[in-house]
Amino acid sequence: MVYGNWQNIEIIGVFCGAKMDKIDPICGMKGTILAHGHYFCSEHCIRKYEAEKGIIDDKKYCSGCATEIGTPWYKERLFIVIVATLFLLAVGYVHPLLKPFFDAFIDYLVLIWWALLIGFLLGGIIDYFIPRDYIKKYLSRHRKRTIIYSIVFGFLMSACSHGILAIAIELYKKGASTSSVVAFLLAAPWANLPITILLFGFFGVKATLIVVSALIIAVITGLIYQELERRGMVECNSCMMGEDVPVLTDFSIINDIKRRWKEYDFTMRNNIDAIKGTLQGSWSLTRMVMWWLVVGMVMASFARAYIPQHLFVEYMGPTLLGLLVTLFFATIIEVCSEGSSPLAFEIFNQTGAFGNSFTFLMAGVATDYTEIGLIWHNIGKKAALWLPIITVPQVLVLGYLFNIFT
């Protein structure tokens, strides 16, 4: 991929269809509501931003108002995608031409509905109860344990891969090292709790291999980036030639947890507020990623219904050629992590090549042009170019081994 001089190309600001100055600083999605010098996708994210910055503001924001204030609900991607999908399903229910699509989509829905409900609920709990100061404190250190912290906090994040990007870049700007940001980026899309549950809905116990392998790749890549930082071979604002530069040194997570527990009053009002906050976080996560998941299910359903199985087996089977073809499609298909999951499962369902499914999932993140472009622009070109160089060989080796032994 050729990016040229990013400073002179207007589209460097494009991220999920929006310019960088209109990206929600909390969730990383397209922002349409102007508040506090940023664009937010929802009032929920505005309130989280205010809480983080200690801003007291009772102003009401309406996400369904005029477009210069917020996006009308009927123009939101989730609404448009759901309406279009329901239309296809309605036609498929009565018309033989789309009946195979209808059957395939319902099969997917029956397979994962429980994972979706649990995943979004847990995502809301994490969103409400896990402050981002916990993450900022531990991702700035230039030690091996920082990589472990990165993947642990990646597990606690509840956002799609595109949303994770904005969070990771913000962490970098606040002092996180390049190595910890890269490990965080690789671990969060596939090892975060909601997606882990979704993967188990599709792959059963085999999902453990995907999650564990994603964490292994994140750790190895993070450690390699740490060595590159020490050698000055990648950009790192906080590295200072390898010196350890901690942030939030006066902040203790243990003390903060104790303080929160001590100060929390288990009254009916507070419990209702906690439930409300959790549900708001779940809804915010749903708005962020659900449309991607539905798009992925539609694509996978069409693939199952209308692409002959022998084509899958011939071109994406458990062979080296099939692995490379899968890598190619993972590179060019721009789908969020939730949307990739149904497609990866369909590859496994049609070919039995679990390694190809793993490659499709992991390589989609490692070679994503949005991810590489944002790292190039916000961290540096060397940090961006090293990402596929380091990760793709690991993905291919593990994918090849999975095809042989699973």
Side-chain angles (χ1 to χ4, degrees):
M1 299 180 186
V2 180
Y3 291 95
N5 187 351
W6 283 93
Q7 301 296 335
N8 297 325
I9 300 178
E10 183 180 357
I11 61 171
I12 183 59
V14 176
F15 174 73
C16 289
K19 291 184 178 180
M20 284 299 292
D21 61 356
K22 291 190 177 182
I23 291 300
D24 191 316
I26 296 298
C27 70
M29 304 307 289
K30 180 180 179 181
T32 56
I33 309 173
L34 180 60
H36 310 302
H38 298 279
Y39 285 87
F40 296 85
C41 70
S42 65
E43 185 172 353
H44 173 73
C45 287
I46 296 175
R47 299 309 177 202
K48 288 198 66 177
Y49 180 85
E50 290 172 347
E52 288 185 4
K53 302 298 182 181
I55 299 173
I56 300 176
D57 187 0
D58 295 329
K59 180 180 178 181
K60 297 294 183 181
Y61 297 90
C62 175
S63 61
C65 300
T67 53
E68 63 268 15
I69 301 176
T71 302
W73 60 271
Y74 55 85
K75 289 187 178 180
E76 289 198 12
R77 289 173 175 173
L78 178 59
F79 176 79
I80 294 172
V81 168
I82 288 179
V83 169
T85 303
L86 289 175
F87 174 78
L88 290 173
L89 290 173
V91 175
Y93 183 76
V94 299
H95 198 286
L97 183 63
L98 284 180
K99 187 62 166 60
F101 163 78
F102 176 87
D103 292 337
F105 191 92
I106 296 302
D107 285 345
Y108 279 124
L109 195 59
V110 171
L111 184 66
I112 66 168
W113 68 268
W114 62 272
L116 291 178
L117 289 179
I118 295 175
F120 285 131
L121 178 60
L122 290 176
I125 293 172
I126 292 169
D127 178 81
Y128 185 75
F129 288 103
I130 305 296
R132 274 205 270 181
D133 279 344
Y134 292 7
I135 301 174
K136 296 173 187 175
K137 176 176 175 64
Y138 284 100
L139 297 196
S140 65
R141 310 302 295 268
H142 301 282
R143 300 176 179 176
K144 290 182 174 61
R145 71 185 69 169
T146 304
I147 305 303
I148 304 301
Y149 294 147
S150 298
I151 64 175
V152 169
F153 285 122
F155 183 77
L156 294 176
M157 293 307 298
S158 53
C160 74
S161 55
H162 287 163
I164 289 294
L165 272 172
I167 296 170
I169 296 302
E170 182 66 19
L171 291 174
Y172 178 77
K173 292 178 179 179
K174 291 182 181 297
S177 64
T178 301
S179 54
S180 61
V181 166
V182 169
F184 181 80
L185 279 174
L186 292 174
W190 302 121
N192 79 67
L193 194 53
I195 294 299
T196 295
I197 295 172
L198 178 63
L199 290 175
F200 271 95
F202 278 121
F203 294 96
V205 294
K206 285 182 179 290
T208 305
L209 295 174
I210 297 175
V211 175
V212 172
S213 298
L215 296 179
I216 291 173
I217 291 175
V219 169
I220 292 174
T221 303
L223 292 176
I224 293 175
Y225 265 84
Q226 278 193 343
E227 183 61 30
L228 294 174
E229 287 172 345
R230 280 190 283 268
R231 295 173 180 268
M233 297 176 66
V234 295
E235 302 84 354
C236 182
N237 286 339
S238 62
C239 289
M240 298 176 60
M241 300 304 292
E243 183 178 344
D244 192 32
V245 186
V247 298
L248 296 176
T249 54
D250 58 344
F251 179 79
S252 168
I253 289 180
I254 295 177
N255 291 338
D256 186 70
I257 293 174
K258 290 180 179 178
R259 178 186 62 80
R260 289 171 180 270
W261 179 262
K262 184 178 180 180
E263 293 178 355
Y264 188 83
D265 188 4
F266 287 89
T267 62
M268 181 64 71
R269 175 64 181 274
N270 286 342
N271 292 338
I272 291 175
D273 287 343
I275 294 173
K276 182 180 177 181
T278 297
L279 293 177
Q280 287 177 339
S282 297
W283 174 240
S284 179
L285 177 61
T286 301
R287 290 178 64 241
M288 185 193 308
V289 304
M290 188 63 181
W291 74 276
W292 277 113
L293 179 59
V294 174
V295 168
M297 289 175 64
V298 169
M299 295 171 65
S301 298
F302 272 109
R304 175 185 293 192
Y306 302 109
I307 298 179
Q309 185 178 9
H310 71 86
L311 292 180
F312 272 100
V313 175
E314 182 177 355
Y315 294 106
M316 302 183 76
T319 63
L320 182 59
L321 175 61
L323 204 60
L324 294 176
V325 170
T326 303
L327 175 64
F328 171 76
F329 281 111
T331 302
I332 64 174
I333 295 177
E334 176 70 0
V335 181
C336 192
S337 51
E338 289 73 17
S340 297
S341 302
L343 293 170
F345 176 73
E346 190 56 33
I347 293 172
F348 175 67
N349 187 55
Q350 295 282 1
T351 67
F354 181 74
N356 289 19
S357 297
F358 170 78
T359 300
F360 186 81
L361 291 172
M362 283 303 302
V365 175
T367 63
D368 181 84
Y369 58 82
T370 304
E371 182 167 317
I372 293 175
L374 284 178
I375 294 176
W376 181 302
H377 180 65
N378 290 278
I379 298 179
K381 62 181 181 181
K382 290 185 287 187
L385 293 175
W386 275 111
L387 181 64
I389 293 174
I390 295 171
T391 55
V392 170
Q394 297 180 70
V395 171
L396 289 176
V397 169
L398 284 175
Y400 183 76
L401 293 176
F402 285 153
N403 279 343
I404 295 176
F405 296 108
T406 60

